[in-house]
Amino acid sequence: GDSVTQMEGPVTLSEEAFLTINCTYTATGYPSLFWYVQYPGEGLQLLLKATKADDKGSNKGFEATYRKETTSFHLEKGSVQVSDSAVYFCALSNAGAGSYQLTFGKGTKLSVIP
Amino acid sequence: DAGVIQSPRHEVTEMGQEVTLRCKPISGHNSLFWYRQTMMRGLELLIYFNNNVPIDDSGMPEDRFSAKMPNASFSTLKIQPSEPRDSAVYFCASSSRGAGGLSYNEQFFGPGTRLTVL
């Protein structure tokens, strides 16, 4: 079945550091890929998405590129802020394969210190 | 738009008691999902509905758990009897498949219900 693997956390960075959170996936066909973010005490929010190969999703300074050749969707940000401290989830949706649910990775906790 | 609404936000109960969690999806959304989040197991899909019909309940842990969606604007997740290992944050999410030509399933999450079973 479909699966998502993302780097183990927690990740601790200083403010203005560069962020990369790795995500790879296993799926049949052409899934859509997502990054969700969960701030403390809240539900998950969609951060960005990409629906086909070579698409780049971007939002709030975060970017991720859908790489079919490496089955990856790594999240990057050039300069993190304290307010970016949260848990980040990589996910895929394989509606083309008849699955209407999201498959999530286990999440990566990011802490940004001043 | 009010977003996905869940109630209660916090629930503390004693082992053996019945617990009912409630969810109101975003108006117009036709898919609804129940998730459970724990430190040990992460985010798990319990069940999802499409047009009020349960499509996949393979994630429901056991017969003590049941979910209903009597109409497009309301769903419940019931645990009877509750056990301490059910303590978790339960999320409801909704999505609109096919609306506006979307082919991907962007899900909108509620704030969650934090359940503690003593």
Side-chain angles (χ1 to χ4, degrees):
Chain A
D2 299 343
S3 66
V4 174
T5 303
Q6 60 182 106
M7 60 187 289
E8 296 278 333
V11 174
T12 302
L13 295 174
S14 297
E15 206 165 20
E16 299 184 2
F18 185 85
L19 169 71
T20 300
I21 301 178
N22 290 336
C23 171
T24 57
Y25 68 91
T26 302
T28 57
Y30 303 93
S32 296
L33 302 175
F34 307 86
W35 277 100
Y36 277 80
V37 58
Q38 183 180 27
Y39 298 104
E42 299 183 9
L44 280 71
Q45 304 173 23
L46 180 66
L47 179 60
L48 53 83
K49 61 184 183 290
T51 58
K52 61 183 186 296
D54 299 324
D55 267 3
K56 177 184 284 188
S58 61
N59 186 26
K60 300 181 181 179
F62 291 89
E63 293 183 341
T65 300
Y66 189 145
R67 300 290 189 198
K68 190 163 179 62
E69 64 275 14
T70 54
T71 62
S72 65
F73 193 55
H74 305 321
L75 182 68
E76 297 182 335
K77 186 175 185 182
S79 176
V80 294
Q81 305 300 312
V82 172
S83 57
D84 294 326
S85 298
V87 181
Y88 292 82
F89 293 89
C90 186
L92 70 82
S93 171
N94 208 348
S99 171
Y100 306 129
Q101 62 194 63
L102 284 172
T103 300
F104 284 93
K106 292 189 179 299
T108 302
K109 183 176 182 178
L110 170 67
S111 297
V112 180
I113 55 177
Chain B
D1 194 331
V4 176
I5 298 172
Q6 291 187 247
S7 64
R9 291 295 309 275
H10 302 273
E11 176 80 26
V12 180
T13 190
E14 293 188 346
M15 183 174 63
Q17 296 298 306
E18 177 179 296
V19 175
T20 299
L21 311 181
R22 297 173 176 79
C23 175
K24 177 178 171 57
I26 293 173
S27 177
H29 282 190
N30 56 3
S31 295
L32 183 139
F33 306 80
W34 282 102
Y35 292 90
R36 178 173 67 177
Q37 185 180 41
T38 62
M39 289 293 292
M40 292 297 294
R41 301 174 67 91
L43 197 63
E44 304 172 277
L45 177 67
L46 301 177
I47 185 172
Y48 78 93
F49 296 83
N50 196 43
N51 293 323
N52 311 338
V53 176
I55 302 300
D56 184 353
D57 65 355
S58 59
M60 296 285 263
E62 48 197 274
D63 292 345
R64 297 184 298 106
F65 285 69
S66 63
K68 294 183 179 180
M69 192 165 185
N71 57 61
S73 59
F74 184 65
S75 177
T76 59
L77 178 67
K78 184 177 295 186
I79 308 172
Q80 166 63 17
S82 58
E83 297 183 3
R85 60 193 168 119
D86 302 331
S87 297
V89 180
Y90 290 81
F91 289 103
C92 176
S94 69
S95 70
S96 178
R97 292 192 56 252
L102 297 178
S103 60
Y104 56 88
N105 302 326
E106 178 176 346
Q107 293 184 17
F108 295 82
F109 282 73
T113 295
R114 181 173 295 277
L115 173 65
T116 302
V117 183
L118 303 175

